[in-house]
Amino acid sequence: MAEKEQNRQKNTRQAKRPASEETNFGKLQPQSLDFEKAVLGAMMIEREAYSLVCEILKPESFYDHRHELIYTAIQNLSQADRPIDILTITEQLKRNGTLEEAGGPLYISELSMIVGNSAHVEFHARVIAQKHLARELISYTSKVQTRAFDETVDIDQLMQEAEGELFEISRTNIKKDYTQIDPVLKEAYKALQIAASNKSGISGIPSGFEALDKITNGWQNSDLIIIAARPAMGKTAFTLSMAKNIAVDMQIPVAFFSLEMSNIQLVNRLIVNVCEIKGEKIRSGQLEQYEWGQLDIRINSLYGAKLYVDDTPSLSVFELRTKARRLVREHGVRLIMIDYLQLMNASGMKHGSRQEEVSTISRSLKSLAKELNIPIIALSQLNRSVESRENKEGTQGKRPQLSDLRESGAIEQDADLVAFIHRPEYYGIKADENNVPTHGKAQIIIAKHRNGQVGDVTLRFKGEFARFENDNESQIPFPGEEGNNITGSKINNYEDTPPPPDESFPLPTDDSFMPSGQTDEPPF
């Protein structure tokens, strides 16, 4: 009788599982049928047992296919808010058309007699979950091994796919448990004390731009920050200026992932920024004598800087995750910058459209920021609707909006802070709505701030040096303070019918970084 039952179990499993999943190198896959029976039996006799295991187990966690079907029926009953016992489970299996496949009424009643109570049901469930995770890893490695032997398979592509699958396994199986509020309160109070001891009021990583830090209190740990703009607005220049402020001046380790430029191009931009020598001269090497002296003096500040650059093209979010963990572990990196998000990919995962892929990338970046407990700043492109909008009085017509974020609304949803870079001068707007000249000025528009207020910050922009600086002129008071340059945001302050466009200033026809009419300035 026992032999007949064993053969029945084996045949049932093999009907649902490929032969490759049954054994690996002649070994039976990890399993624990006694624990599976004990958990199912406990759920039949104790009302609260299912609530203890529902977040730990899925139907596929069970090795025996009969147990998978029974657990599915229990899930169905719970979702319908019906009682769970031998009779209701049997009835639900009939309704599902799987009663005989699940072993019949006799086998279900036998399960209910295996345990007397549900005292250890949660521990038993975790053992089952661990066995299931082990089987998934065996299946994963077996597939990778089989494909690696196939000489027609591109190894680089296989590595990306393998990394994507491993990420999915970890994401779906490893879950963080809930925490009672007391230790969290202590941690929050400790953070508050540390912030109070900092007279500057900056609780995060300072950007080096005083007005921006006043509104953000620094870049906060676990935040995903999106810096978005149209081409030629100065996205890379802005992040490089921040990287210089943070890594060089403050000696805080920063990692910069450049998907658009090579390491040499990026460092050349940094040299231009720090040494204030025009980019074309750095590229050509045609420097005046005083510029060589200036270069030799100022470039010394970059040596030993805690700035780590990576120019891997078409970087996948899974490669980024691996490298970021290593940078944090080995070099203590406290801020990651990515230039830019739309050039990343999510290889190894299937997506119906590019928008879905960008959504996956955005969610993964937020997840990574939370996991590593550091801020991640990702640059993003805006769509062309900014260019097509008509000018209004002042600078309002060309101001970017949250709806201008390119390719996916998920970027806006996942980000803790969204900031736009806006240079009215680029569009031929010579003065803002307050009649303040826009020459050499850039607005940092905080359009979304999950944990704070929104607003506009004015910075000085030196296009020839790819450099953003604090703007100490024409500063507008912050609410409750005097002497800084933050104004309330007008991000969604548009009228339904704008006036006709001002055609005296045609839009630029190229994506050159320099604004038209930029005058040369001496290096000092």
Side-chain angles (χ1 to χ4, degrees):
M1 181 71 182
E3 183 180 354
K4 184 177 180 181
E5 177 64 20
Q6 288 176 356
N7 289 334
R8 181 182 179 184
Q9 287 188 23
K10 183 178 179 181
N11 291 336
T12 303
R13 289 197 302 271
Q14 289 179 341
K16 291 296 289 184
R17 303 178 190 277
S20 62
E21 293 187 9
E22 276 299 302
T23 60
N24 188 274
F25 301 108
K27 296 180 181 179
L28 195 65
Q29 292 242 328
Q31 56 173 295
S32 186
L33 297 181
D34 289 340
F35 281 92
E36 291 183 10
K37 291 176 182 179
V39 167
L40 292 174
M43 286 189 282
M44 292 179 189
I45 62 173
E46 292 281 352
R47 182 177 180 181
E48 301 299 324
Y50 175 74
S51 63
L52 295 174
V53 304
C54 62
E55 292 186 358
I56 302 171
L57 298 177
K58 301 171 288 187
E60 57 267 29
S61 301
F62 292 87
Y63 179 74
D64 191 319
H65 180 56
R66 297 176 300 174
H67 300 162
E68 181 181 342
L69 295 175
I70 294 169
Y71 188 74
T72 300
I74 292 172
Q75 273 191 332
N76 297 152
L77 290 169
S78 175
Q79 290 165 3
D81 199 23
R82 297 174 60 194
I84 299 171
D85 56 37
I86 301 172
L87 296 176
T88 55
I89 291 172
T90 303
E91 184 63 29
Q92 185 63 43
L93 286 167
K94 283 182 184 177
R95 196 174 290 113
N96 294 347
T98 56
L99 179 59
E100 291 305 316
E101 193 178 353
L106 179 60
Y107 183 67
I108 295 167
S109 62
E110 287 175 357
L111 289 176
S112 67
M113 294 184 286
I114 289 176
V115 293
N117 58 60
S118 62
H120 307 296
V121 66
E122 191 172 355
F123 175 80
H124 295 165
R126 294 194 185 280
V127 172
I128 296 170
Q130 288 295 311
K131 299 290 184 183
H132 172 241
L133 179 56
R135 292 197 301 273
E136 282 197 310
L137 289 173
I138 290 169
S139 176
Y140 158 78
T141 54
S142 178
K143 268 193 286 186
V144 172
Q145 184 182 51
T146 301
R147 295 199 64 197
F149 276 110
D150 187 349
E151 295 185 0
T152 64
V153 173
D154 181 81
I155 294 301
D156 290 334
Q157 181 66 23
L158 175 60
M159 286 179 64
Q160 290 201 15
E161 291 178 3
E163 195 170 9
E165 285 187 37
L166 185 60
F167 171 70
E168 277 297 292
I169 291 173
S170 65
R171 187 180 65 83
T172 55
N173 285 281
I174 299 174
K175 294 184 173 121
K176 189 175 179 181
D177 204 357
Y178 54 80
T179 304
Q180 199 272 337
I181 194 172
D182 288 358
V184 184
L185 279 172
K186 290 177 182 177
E187 188 176 343
Y189 189 75
K190 185 179 179 181
L192 181 59
Q193 287 178 314
I194 294 171
S197 65
N198 186 353
K199 300 304 179 184
S200 68
I202 306 300
S203 57
I205 296 176
S207 67
F209 301 121
E210 296 172 5
L212 182 60
D213 290 336
K214 280 183 181 288
I215 199 170
T216 64
N217 298 117
W219 306 125
Q220 303 296 315
N221 288 339
S222 80
D223 274 6
L224 174 61
I225 299 114
I226 299 295
I227 308 292
R230 286 293 294 155
M233 284 294 114
K235 295 187 297 296
T236 304
F238 179 63
T239 47
L240 272 180
S241 296
M242 278 199 298
K244 179 262 178 187
N245 294 341
I246 298 168
V248 178
D249 298 342
M250 306 175 201
Q251 289 294 298
I252 296 173
V254 174
F256 198 108
F257 290 87
S258 176
L259 286 77
E260 193 174 28
M261 297 181 183
S262 68
N263 282 342
I264 292 294
Q265 290 175 316
L266 192 69
V267 171
N268 278 342
R269 290 283 291 270
L270 191 59
I271 292 171
V272 169
N273 182 300
V274 170
C275 300
E276 294 192 85
I277 300 172
K278 292 184 178 180
E280 58 268 24
K281 287 195 171 186
I282 292 293
R283 288 190 297 271
S284 67
Q286 303 304 307
L287 275 63
E288 300 294 337
Q289 190 63 39
Y290 75 90
E291 290 173 326
W292 278 111
Q294 184 174 319
L295 176 68
D296 290 340
I297 292 171
R298 297 193 182 184
I299 201 172
N300 285 329
S301 66
L302 295 177
Y303 288 109
K306 297 181 179 181
L307 179 60
Y308 305 90
V309 294
D310 185 300
D311 62 354
T312 304
S314 191
L315 183 72
S316 78
V317 70
F318 313 111
E319 290 175 307
L320 173 69
R321 179 180 293 270
T322 302
K323 292 182 178 185
R325 285 170 173 164
R326 182 180 172 189
L327 284 162
V328 171
R329 182 177 65 250
E330 296 182 4
H331 301 287
V333 163
R334 292 176 56 193
L335 175 69
I336 289 175
M337 297 179 173
I338 303 165
D339 183 14
Y340 57 91
L341 187 148
Q342 279 83 5
L343 291 178
M344 295 185 71
N345 67 73
S347 295
M349 300 178 67
K350 295 180 180 178
H351 301 91
S353 67
R354 175 59 180 166
Q355 284 192 348
E356 291 180 11
E357 186 173 20
V358 171
S359 297
T360 299
I361 294 167
S362 175
R363 284 194 302 272
S364 298
L365 291 179
K366 174 56 186 173
S367 173
L368 182 61
K370 192 174 179 183
E371 174 193 333
L372 299 178
N373 195 33
I374 62 173
I376 292 180
I377 297 176
L379 303 189
S380 177
Q381 290 280 21
L382 296 178
N383 57 42
R384 296 178 183 273
S385 59
V386 177
E387 311 288 356
S388 60
R389 279 201 296 269
E390 297 175 336
N391 272 339
K392 293 179 61 177
E393 181 183 353
T395 65
Q396 298 304 303
K398 298 299 183 181
R399 286 170 62 93
Q401 310 174 58
L402 288 171
S403 58
D404 296 327
L405 283 169
R406 184 174 168 185
E407 288 187 312
S408 178
I411 298 175
E412 174 189 343
Q413 296 169 17
D414 296 327
D416 296 280
L417 187 148
V418 178
F420 299 118
I421 303 172
H422 177 51
R423 292 196 294 114
E425 181 184 19
Y426 180 85
Y427 297 106
I429 302 170
K430 294 183 177 180
D432 64 15
E433 58 273 18
N434 298 315
N435 206 31
V436 176
T438 61
H439 176 67
K441 300 292 181 71
Q443 293 177 340
I444 308 300
I445 303 168
I446 309 294
K448 175 189 176 183
H449 194 186
R450 183 169 286 156
N451 302 308
Q453 61 183 316
V454 297
D456 298 356
V457 173
T458 302
L459 298 178
R460 180 169 292 280
F461 174 68
K462 293 185 176 180
E464 70 273 33
F465 301 138
R467 179 183 178 122
F468 282 75
E469 298 177 345
N470 287 306
D471 179 34
N472 297 317
E473 300 175 3
S474 62
Q475 298 189 358
I476 301 171
F478 185 66
E481 296 184 11
E482 296 294 332
N484 66 41
N485 55 342
I486 305 174
T487 61
S489 177
K490 300 181 178 68
I491 189 69
N492 294 315
N493 186 18
Y494 297 103
E495 296 176 1
D496 292 334
T497 308
D502 181 1
E503 297 182 356
S504 60
F505 300 102
L507 289 178
T509 56
D510 57 39
D511 287 340
S512 61
F513 192 79
M514 290 278 291
S516 59
Q518 181 77 52
T519 59
D520 293 343
E521 296 181 12
F524 293 99

